[in-house]
Amino acid sequence: MALSLRLSRGGSKKRPYYRIVVADARSPRDGRFIEKIGTYNPLLAKDSPERVKLDADRARHWLSVGAQPTDRVLRFLDQAGVKERAARNNPKKGEPGEKAKERAEERASKAAEAAEAAAAASAAPAADEATDDATNQGVSTEQPAEGDAAAPTGTDEPQSTDEPAEG
């Protein structure tokens, strides 16, 4: 017969109260049990001595004859010093899901694009300032293209355009 140390629920709706019992593994959660070895009241404060009451001697006896504790009961046994509980490590549990990873990648790419745009914007005014300084000193940074007349025409009349003059 497979024995288990587990919780059997009692109490009313939304007011749980558990018995720590030794039961056949095939019996229902709140069904027949072999022996009650303690109680657990989750409504009490975590530091309250009344929260978990456990008969450690009987728990040791049932463990020695092969009863397997559930995870929660094993925590209680570990606190009481009856049986050592191995620490669990599930690094994938804390890892974000696929959609969250995609959103993070999108945010990172947008941030990188914004940083590049800011860098380009800060570089462009620096180049504009250099040309403004040169024109303020009377030096032209642009060279006239070949065939363009650099000298002014000397007339105040507007030069001919393709558009008809208004008048």
Side-chain angles (χ1 to χ4, degrees):
M1 173 185 336
L3 297 174
S4 73
L5 295 172
R6 64 182 184 200
L7 298 175
S8 175
R9 191 176 195 273
S12 59
K13 180 178 177 184
K14 298 192 181 204
R15 306 276 303 165
Y17 184 82
Y18 297 94
R19 293 180 290 203
I20 302 171
V21 298
V22 178
D24 183 3
R26 296 170 293 188
S27 64
R29 180 192 73 179
D30 300 334
R32 188 179 63 186
F33 59 88
I34 299 169
E35 183 181 355
K36 175 183 159 190
I37 60 172
T39 60
Y40 168 56
N41 188 352
L43 299 177
L44 296 176
K46 291 192 178 196
D47 58 349
S48 173
E50 302 293 317
R51 184 175 168 102
V52 178
K53 290 184 180 179
L54 185 66
D55 187 354
D57 292 333
R58 293 307 294 165
R60 281 190 195 92
H61 166 74
W62 286 109
L63 289 171
S64 69
V65 295
Q68 295 296 314
T70 59
D71 291 338
R72 179 60 53 183
V73 173
L74 187 57
R75 285 176 182 264
F76 298 151
L77 295 174
D78 186 31
Q79 287 176 349
V82 176
K83 185 174 181 179
E84 187 69 27
R85 177 177 163 262
R88 294 185 172 193
N89 184 15
N90 186 358
K92 290 190 175 186
K93 182 176 182 180
E95 190 175 304
E98 291 179 21
K99 296 265 185 179
K101 287 179 184 177
E102 289 173 7
R103 287 192 298 266
E105 287 176 8
E106 287 178 17
R107 264 189 248 116
S109 65
K110 285 182 181 178
E113 290 173 6
E116 289 175 12
S122 65
D128 289 343
E129 289 175 10
T131 58
D132 289 344
D133 291 343
T135 55
N136 290 343
Q137 295 175 359
V139 178
S140 175
T141 57
E142 298 177 11
Q143 296 179 356
E146 293 181 25
D148 285 347
T153 56
T155 60
D156 292 339
E157 296 178 17
Q159 296 179 358
S160 64
T161 59
D162 294 339
E163 298 178 10
E166 294 180 28

